[in-house]
Amino acid sequence: MILLAADTAVHLCSACLYDSVEKEVRGRRVEDIGRGHAERLLPVIEETLAEAGRALADLDRLAVSTGPGSFTGIRVGVAAMRGLALALDIPLIGITVFDCMAHMADAEGAVLVVLDARRDEVYAQLFSADRAAAGPPQVLPRGEALGLALQHDAALFGSAAPLVAELGADTSPAVAGALSAVDIAVLAALAADRDPADEKPVPLYLRAPDAKPQEGFALPRREAS
């Protein structure tokens, strides 16, 4: 199976072409752009396909990271990959940033993936030693995340790992890594082994957007004559 994976959840714009039979990456493109995913995602996909000498018609499955992360980035990635899946009539699978990062963590036991949500909070999800989800995705104050990690003897992994670990006094969880973005090759490999029926490409936001319509600026509806 030839699978194309894409990630636009945070500052990276990434694509990967993965051969599930040989378990090899055939093409990969990663750009650290911060913003502008809508303009760069399709060119990044085209460049990835060109590197592998493949075309869209060669694809058997698509995958996309579903967050949490940037509201705009997640929407861009999920919408673009949904459009490709519809046009090519092939399955699309969604993989959360939590799931991918749990499999990236170099730790023997449980892992608590923690991402910086600002406001002294983190996006967090607990995974067991075999990297199965051991709790729901949630937004937690840093102190509660520390308590959760200590309760389950879990290593911390993700952009907020140092922020949570620094709250520990005599006892502090191990920090397995502080990455803020997923490895697109890991995401592709996970998606190749999953059932698309069980992993829907649904955005995982966890928090309402900060931008809201301004009150008092809505135009009155025009009455039909």
Side-chain angles (χ1 to χ4, degrees):
M1 176 176 63
I2 302 299
L3 178 145
L4 174 69
D7 169 46
T8 56
V10 286
H11 56 95
L12 300 184
C13 185
S14 310
C16 174
L17 198 72
Y18 183 76
D19 184 332
S20 67
V21 175
E22 299 296 332
K23 298 188 181 301
E24 290 185 358
V25 172
R26 300 299 187 185
R28 172 168 29 191
R29 183 77 175 174
V30 179
E31 294 186 1
D32 191 346
I33 63 173
R35 298 182 180 180
H37 295 90
E39 293 77 19
R40 285 301 304 157
L41 179 56
L42 291 182
V44 163
I45 288 174
E46 291 174 357
E47 292 162 12
T48 301
L49 291 170
E51 179 184 337
R54 294 281 190 166
L56 288 173
D58 298 323
L59 302 178
D60 301 302
R61 181 182 293 184
L62 300 173
V64 65
S65 61
T66 55
S70 157
F71 283 89
T72 301
I74 294 169
R75 284 197 298 269
V76 166
V78 171
M81 298 304 277
R82 279 178 175 172
L84 281 178
L86 182 62
L88 299 172
D89 193 24
I90 58 177
L92 169 63
I93 188 168
I95 303 292
T96 70
V97 172
F98 289 130
D99 193 359
C100 190
M101 285 198 165
H103 286 82
M104 291 165 56
D106 184 12
E108 294 183 358
V111 171
L112 181 66
V113 179
V114 283
L115 307 172
D116 189 3
R118 301 183 180 180
R119 307 175 190 170
D120 206 32
E121 293 180 328
V122 298
Y123 300 128
Q125 187 172 16
L126 181 68
F127 292 82
S128 60
D130 64 358
R131 299 304 179 258
Q138 54 191 319
V139 182
L140 295 174
R142 286 193 299 151
E144 289 188 20
L146 174 65
L148 185 62
L150 293 174
Q151 177 186 351
H152 294 275
D153 193 22
L156 298 168
F157 188 86
S159 59
L163 300 176
V164 173
E166 70 183 13
L167 297 179
D170 297 332
T171 304
S172 185
V175 174
L179 299 180
S180 59
V182 304
D183 182 333
I184 190 64
V186 173
L187 190 151
L190 288 175
D193 288 336
R194 304 285 177 84
D195 185 346
D198 298 331
E199 307 279 349
K200 300 296 185 182
V202 178
L204 178 63
Y205 293 127
L206 292 182
R207 181 187 278 168
D210 293 328
K212 297 179 181 179
Q214 288 183 297
E215 296 181 2
F217 286 87
L219 295 176
R221 289 188 178 181
R222 203 174 163 185
E223 296 183 4
S225 55

